[in-house]
Amino acid sequence: MSTLVIVESPTKARTISKFLPSSYRVEASMGHVRDLPQSSKEIPEAYKGEKWAQLGVNVDADFEPLYVVPNDKKKIVTALKNALKEADELVLATDEDREGESISWHLLQLLKPKVPIKRMVFHEITKEAIRDALKNCRNIDEQVVRAQETRRILDRLVGYTLSPLLWKKISYGLSAGRVQSVAVRLLVNRERQRRAFRQGSYWDLKASLNKDKTPFEARLVALKGTRIATGSDFDEATGQIIAGRNVILLSEAEARSLEARLADKPWTVADLEERPVTRKPLPPFTTSTLQQEANRKLHLSARDTMRTAQSLYEQGYITYMRTDSVHLSQQAIAAARSCVEQMYGKQYLSPEPRQYTTKSKGAQEAHEAIRPAGSSFRTPQETGLSGREFALYDLIWKRTVATQMAESRQTQITVQLQVEDAGFRASGKRIDFHGFLRAYVEGSDDPHAALEDMEVILPTLKKGDRPTCKKLESIGHETQPPARYTEASLVKTLESEGIGRPSTYASIIGTIIEKGYAQMNGNALVPTFTAFAVTSLLEQHFPDLVDPSFTSKMEQTLDEISTGEAKWLPYLKKFYLGEMGLATQVKEREKGIDATSARTIELDDLGGAKVRIGQYGPYIEAEKDSGPVKASLPKDLTPSDIHAELIETLLQQKTEGPDKVGLHPETGEPIYVLIGTYGPYVQLGDATEENKKPKRASLPKGVTIEDVTLDMAVGLLSLPRTLGIHPETNGKVQAGLGRFGPYVVHDQGKEGKEYRSLKASDDVLTIDIERAVELLAEPKKGRGGTRSKSKAPLRELGTHPTDGEPVNIYDGPYGPYIKHGKTNASVPEGESVEGLTMEKALEALAAKAGSTTKSSRKSTTKSGTSTKKTTTGKTTAKKTTATTSTKKKS
């Protein structure tokens, strides 16, 4: 008897096949095999005339979905059908969540098997788990499938109904989404708070004290019995002390006067309190907490975290990574406790096995938390993993092991000190027993926050002691605007509000960035002007769709459909076709939405100027004596950073011309300082018919227009400048300013060029050859500070049929790409790394080579040189001299 087992990915198939008898054949579906049509090309001929076909859902026929098999999946479906012909039994072993249940159902609809069918689910890919799952197969859960289908239809209705409206009223290519639009609104509201924020300033005193040769610090907390103001006492809207707060706000003059008055005065310990505290380890990881912690500690995006976790799961290293549950099986608890005892000793083991309960209402995606797979946990060093996979497994291993460790015991110490009428406070912390902190310390969104296992040592003090004050200094403070969302804090907020599902957060954040609603600034998600325009339109005309509580209720209803507590069809009818349904609202309100107003962003304090969204991005428009004046805004300018002075500079530059720094000492040409699409820069001479592109140089990071001097401008325009000859190779060494900042480069001829970034203390305009050689001698580092090494592929597809060279998928700065020899091509839109077939990859590579050849042919035709034709499809591609590069996604 032969059995066909179908899973989603080749990696998962390879791992599972190790644990199954030889009569079992494991094949991969490469993810979903059917979906709603993504474009008009995918709509079958029989439906092209139907008005609803573009939507992909027949709303007048009980919301019947139009499912199609994408072109790139047709061969996979055929192969699965052929494999099924040779099988006596079919086992559907897709993932155990709603998405996996849906994939199994679609496979069943397409394959129409005439042999016995089983649905096999498992939480980890180990021999024991797979054998156990085979013994406990079940049927497909129709209610879960229906809930997932309702979710898919709901997302399509929202996206395909609202997105065309945004194209008409704001800009083509924008999108709206059931969860996406709420997430964008969260970013926009935080940026609005930052714009409304008014800074406040306050002063206090810091004392450096000493007792029995042990130094410690204390801060001023009260004066004449009244508390000193801190940042929490300020109103963010006014920058003033909140009304009714009985505090003393010290100015700089008052602080310095107090400092002088207290100098050389005796200090006394007025009171001392020691308070024992215990801390329990955090629960094991769920999908959302793993995304948050990987973002904080490893600086991984949600998408990278899920991609890496998927790989670890499919290789059998961790349990299923899409889960809302913090529950640990008895097997996992035993394995974790064994690790603690072996690696840390019995004293670090919790007295009793520790179990956690899930607080989230929607915790039903899987039965267990994310943990190392198996009945015994491999240590990170034993896995043989490297790079991101090692780092993420290490994080999961530590967090899981820590759950079964003893509590951390600490003593919090607070010392009150008095000097004349001023009260100071010193705080300390003593760790009496590290407990689980030996294995794991949670990260923080605040980069300045101290790790919780750091002790703050105070000397032995008692009431009446007189420590010596070595130094007393006045310290000024300014209140800070609300922090922007990071991926970690956005995921945390979405989950706490009950918006969406953790398994979808990675794709949602990716879409927000790809659609131009946010850009990454360091680790922060910064909303764009486009995000402001779209959010304002939705708030004004479709407020429910961007209301977190409304979206949360939708999520709750979808959960109830999966359990049979709610009916899917009445819900869809009410949501879309009801009196206040989405289709009705769009039809009634579209004519009343003025496109000019929709493209205009209302911001205060801009001196009468307006920000609008144009075809080529955001721009400002203001009325001047000569009429309306428009000027483009720099791409990296954020809504919270725009102000009247900057706008005046841009408009003046447009009407009166740029500011002149001076004349170049050698050529006599004027040097201007301007603000362009990519920020401020200096320009040598005027743009004329003969000199359409005068030389330009961007200002270094942190340098403003006001900082630019004539010498600096001349220096920047001289870049890259030659520093000298390398003493070992006689190669030329230069200093320049590039995309990633200032650098030095060593030209080694045929060996290529060697680059090094300048340190913070180096100046690109003054660095000399000796310092450059010193930097070039240092080991080359990759971005992020790690030593550069050859990049490992995300996936190996196989060898190219024409030359036998490998075809691999790599992770690049603009997303995953396919590489063959010197040809790089982006992974086609809608394709996943795991789902991409060799045939599809060859088509993308051939198309890339063809487009490059065409551009090369255009350029060589002028000089009379011909280029060999490149063919695509099954025909062998001929060699071309055109250079290829990775396609960049904007």
Side-chain angles (χ1 to χ4, degrees):
M1 179 177 177
S2 62
T3 300
L4 175 64
V5 180
I6 302 179
V7 297
E8 295 95 331
S9 76
T11 305
K12 189 175 178 182
R14 285 194 296 271
T15 309
I16 286 178
S17 62
K18 298 176 191 174
F19 310 123
L20 293 172
S22 57
S23 59
Y24 283 71
R25 177 180 174 182
V26 187
E27 294 292 340
S29 70
M30 301 296 184
H32 282 278
V33 289
R34 277 198 321 176
D35 197 6
L36 303 175
Q38 297 298 313
S39 65
S40 56
K41 292 180 181 178
E42 290 188 351
I43 299 173
E45 286 296 330
Y47 296 97
K48 282 193 181 289
E50 303 288 347
K51 290 182 179 180
W52 57 267
Q54 198 71 38
L55 183 64
V57 179
N58 190 348
V59 297
D60 297 321
D62 290 343
F63 292 85
E64 182 181 351
L66 173 62
Y67 287 122
V68 298
V69 179
N71 288 330
D72 62 306
K73 294 297 177 72
K74 288 179 179 177
K75 285 194 174 182
I76 294 170
V77 173
T78 301
L80 291 174
K81 285 181 177 179
N82 291 334
L84 184 59
K85 290 175 184 178
E86 302 172 6
D88 302 311
E89 183 183 49
L90 174 63
V91 175
L92 299 168
T94 52
D95 291 339
E96 63 175 326
D97 61 2
R98 292 174 179 143
E99 193 103 0
E101 204 74 14
S102 179
I103 292 173
S104 281
W105 181 80
H106 280 290
L107 284 167
L108 209 57
Q109 304 303 307
L110 281 174
L111 300 179
K112 301 186 185 336
K114 297 177 181 178
V115 298
I117 307 152
K118 293 179 180 177
R119 173 77 172 108
M120 182 172 87
V121 293
F122 41 85
H123 188 56
E124 58 186 354
I125 306 177
T126 61
K127 183 176 181 178
E128 186 180 353
I130 297 302
R131 294 290 175 91
D132 187 56
L134 271 176
K135 295 175 186 175
N136 296 282
C137 289
R138 58 169 173 80
N139 295 323
I140 289 176
D141 191 326
E142 295 286 345
Q143 286 183 338
V144 171
V145 171
R146 180 61 74 186
Q148 181 62 23
E149 185 174 62
T150 306
R151 183 186 299 271
R152 183 73 185 94
I153 292 171
L154 200 59
D155 287 339
R156 174 58 69 99
L157 295 175
V158 173
Y160 274 49
T161 304
L162 282 178
S163 296
L165 180 66
L166 299 180
W167 300 348
K168 295 175 187 175
K169 303 301 181 181
I170 298 177
S171 180
Y172 184 78
L174 296 177
S175 69
R178 181 175 61 88
V179 179
Q180 169 197 315
S181 296
V182 181
V184 171
R185 190 193 183 200
L186 288 172
L187 301 182
V188 168
N189 279 343
R190 182 60 56 87
E191 205 74 1
R192 286 168 174 164
Q193 291 170 4
R194 289 175 65 87
R195 275 196 63 80
F197 174 78
R198 295 295 175 265
Q199 195 174 67
S201 61
Y202 59 99
W203 286 73
D204 62 13
L205 301 183
K206 182 178 78 172
S208 299
L209 302 162
N210 195 296
K211 176 70 167 63
D212 298 332
K213 298 183 179 179
T214 303
F216 66 104
E217 289 185 351
R219 289 269 182 173
L220 177 70
V221 293
L223 190 62
K224 298 179 181 177
T226 303
R227 186 169 63 85
I228 296 294
T230 63
S232 61
D233 294 308
F234 284 82
D235 186 335
E236 293 186 347
T238 63
Q240 305 298 317
I241 295 293
I242 297 171
R245 292 281 171 95
N246 182 27
V247 293
I248 294 175
L249 177 61
L250 286 181
S251 65
E252 180 180 4
E254 290 168 333
R256 296 198 184 282
S257 173
L258 182 61
E259 175 190 338
R261 178 163 70 84
L262 299 180
D264 301 326
K265 296 296 189 297
W267 289 66
T268 306
V269 175
D271 196 11
L272 186 144
E273 180 189 10
E274 290 194 3
R275 184 168 57 90
V277 294
T278 57
R279 287 187 54 222
K280 293 182 179 180
L282 290 162
F285 281 127
T286 61
T287 301
S288 66
T289 55
L290 179 63
Q291 290 174 8
Q292 293 169 48
E293 194 72 341
N295 184 249
R296 296 180 191 124
K297 280 193 168 181
L298 307 180
H299 306 294
L300 293 180
S301 67
R303 182 172 284 179
D304 286 340
T305 298
M306 294 307 291
R307 185 184 294 159
T308 307
Q310 177 91 32
S311 176
L312 289 173
Y313 164 67
E314 291 177 349
Q315 294 177 76
Y317 287 109
I318 64 170
T319 53
Y320 193 53
M321 68 291 161
R322 292 188 177 95
T323 173
D324 291 327
S325 174
V326 293
H327 176 76
L328 286 174
S329 66
Q330 291 305 312
Q331 179 194 64
I333 290 174
R337 293 181 71 81
S338 176
C339 282
V340 175
E341 193 167 347
Q342 290 176 23
M343 301 192 68
Y344 301 104
K346 284 188 176 181
Q347 71 272 29
Y348 281 94
L349 196 62
S350 62
E352 298 293 332
R354 189 179 286 112
Q355 187 61 273
Y356 296 84
T357 54
T358 306
K359 296 179 181 178
S360 172
K361 291 180 181 178
Q364 56 185 24
E365 293 286 351
H367 306 298
E368 199 174 355
I370 303 170
R371 62 167 176 86
S375 56
S376 62
F377 294 166
R378 284 170 284 188
T379 65
Q381 291 72 25
E382 290 171 340
T383 61
L385 295 168
S386 61
R388 286 179 177 175
E389 289 187 339
F390 176 87
L392 196 64
Y393 180 84
D394 182 63
L395 201 64
I396 294 167
W397 185 92
K398 287 177 177 175
R399 178 94 161 211
T400 309
V401 168
T403 64
Q404 300 307 312
M405 294 180 74
E407 297 174 352
S408 168
R409 297 195 302 273
Q410 305 172 6
T411 300
Q412 301 283 355
I413 306 162
T414 304
V415 181
Q416 306 291 347
L417 300 113
Q418 197 71 28
V419 49
E420 291 201 336
D421 56 357
F424 284 72
R425 179 186 298 145
S427 299
K429 178 166 66 174
R430 183 176 67 245
I431 296 181
D432 304 309
F433 178 63
H434 277 84
F436 73 90
L437 294 175
R438 277 286 303 276
Y440 187 83
V441 180
E442 190 186 25
S444 171
D445 280 330
D446 180 5
H448 303 294
L451 292 178
E452 295 186 11
D453 64 342
M454 294 289 287
E455 287 189 306
V456 181
I457 302 298
L458 291 179
T460 302
L461 295 166
K462 62 182 184 297
K463 191 173 181 179
D465 280 350
R466 291 183 173 272
T468 305
C469 181
K470 297 293 185 182
K471 185 179 180 182
L472 189 61
E473 57 182 324
S474 306
I475 306 291
H477 308 273
E478 291 180 336
T479 56
Q480 299 299 314
R484 291 185 174 114
Y485 282 104
T486 61
E487 284 201 26
S489 58
L490 181 60
V491 165
K492 186 175 182 179
T493 302
L494 289 172
E495 186 185 36
S496 66
E497 294 280 358
I499 300 166
R501 279 288 169 261
S503 57
T504 65
Y505 293 157
S507 62
I508 289 165
I509 293 173
T511 301
I512 287 171
I513 295 172
E514 288 161 10
K515 290 293 183 181
Y517 290 129
Q519 55 191 19
M520 294 299 295
N521 184 357
N523 206 31
L525 286 163
V526 185
T528 60
F529 290 101
T530 302
F532 269 65
V534 170
T535 298
S536 295
L537 185 149
L538 295 177
E539 285 175 332
Q540 186 175 351
H541 299 283
F542 309 98
D544 281 349
L545 292 178
V546 286
D547 180 4
S549 61
F550 180 82
T551 308
S552 178
K553 287 175 184 174
M554 291 171 68
E555 208 66 59
Q556 188 177 342
T557 304
L558 290 168
D559 288 342
E560 290 169 355
I561 291 170
S562 71
T563 58
E565 299 172 61
K567 301 297 182 184
W568 67 276
L569 187 56
Y571 178 69
L572 284 178
K573 284 182 175 179
K574 180 181 178 183
F575 173 81
Y576 196 71
L577 299 176
E579 188 177 338
M580 292 301 293
L582 180 60
T584 310
Q585 289 185 50
V586 171
K587 188 175 181 180
E588 290 177 354
R589 298 176 187 180
E590 182 175 347
K591 292 181 181 178
I593 301 174
D594 178 65
T596 303
S597 299
R599 289 195 297 267
T600 303
I601 300 157
E602 300 294 338
L603 298 173
D604 298 328
D605 305 326
L606 297 188
K610 298 181 182 298
V611 178
R612 301 192 198 277
I613 305 298
Q615 184 178 355
Y616 303 105
Y619 65 93
I620 51 172
E621 182 176 338
E623 287 293 333
K624 297 292 182 182
D625 295 338
S626 56
V629 179
K630 301 176 182 178
S632 296
L633 290 171
K635 287 188 181 296
D636 59 351
L637 185 69
T638 64
S640 72
D641 297 329
I642 191 170
H643 50 82
E645 292 79 6
L646 174 63
I647 286 179
E648 193 56 40
T649 301
L650 289 169
L651 294 173
Q652 182 181 340
Q653 180 178 300
K654 194 79 174 179
T655 55
E656 302 173 15
D659 290 335
K660 185 163 70 174
V661 181
L663 301 178
H664 196 286
E666 295 176 9
T667 67
E669 294 175 279
I671 297 177
Y672 302 107
V673 59
L674 305 94
I675 300 176
T677 307
Y678 299 98
Y681 63 94
V682 290
Q683 175 179 303
L684 178 63
D686 297 291
T688 62
E689 280 297 320
E690 296 75 23
N691 184 25
K692 292 183 178 180
K693 292 186 177 180
K695 185 164 187 181
R696 294 171 176 173
S698 296
L699 300 190
K701 189 175 181 180
V703 176
T704 64
I705 288 179
E706 292 75 19
D707 299 331
V708 178
T709 63
L710 180 59
D711 288 343
M712 182 190 293
V714 171
L716 290 171
L717 290 166
S718 71
L719 297 176
R721 64 188 185 92
T722 300
L723 305 181
I725 302 299
H726 197 286
E728 295 177 8
T729 65
N730 290 325
K732 183 168 62 175
V733 177
Q734 292 182 305
L737 191 62
R739 179 183 172 193
F740 301 113
Y743 64 88
V744 289
V745 57
H746 173 205
D747 190 342
Q748 304 177 87
K750 292 182 180 180
E751 298 293 322
K753 294 182 178 181
E754 193 76 5
Y755 290 84
R756 295 291 184 276
S757 294
L758 267 57
K759 310 289 186 187
S761 56
D762 296 316
D763 187 340
V764 69
L765 301 179
T766 59
I767 189 171
D768 56 23
I769 183 66
E770 287 78 13
R771 175 58 178 158
V773 170
E774 185 181 323
L775 288 171
L776 290 163
E778 294 180 0
K780 190 172 185 179
K781 302 284 179 113
R783 292 184 67 194
T786 56
R787 183 167 293 186
S788 179
K789 60 180 178 180
S790 59
K791 188 192 297 182
L794 294 175
R795 183 176 162 219
E796 298 176 2
L797 293 175
T799 56
H800 198 286
T802 60
D803 57 14
E805 289 293 314
V807 178
N808 297 332
I809 304 178
Y810 291 88
D811 190 13
Y814 302 97
Y817 65 93
I818 312 159
K819 183 175 180 63
H820 166 239
K822 292 184 178 179
T823 304
N824 299 332
S826 293
V827 170
E829 195 71 32
E831 292 287 341
S832 66
V833 172
E834 285 297 344
L836 186 69
T837 61
M838 173 62 90
E839 182 187 16
K840 202 73 178 176
L842 294 177
E843 288 177 7
L845 289 166
K848 179 66 177 179
S851 65
T852 309
T853 305
K854 286 178 184 178
S855 63
S856 175
R857 186 158 57 243
K858 285 180 183 178
S859 62
T860 54
T861 301
K862 294 179 182 178
S863 58
T865 306
S866 64
T867 307
K868 290 182 180 180
K869 186 178 180 181
T870 302
T871 57
T872 57
K874 295 182 180 178
T875 308
T876 304
K878 295 182 179 180
K879 290 184 179 179
T880 174
T881 57
T883 305
T884 55
S885 60
T886 306
K887 181 182 177 184
K888 296 182 179 180
K889 294 181 182 178
S890 63

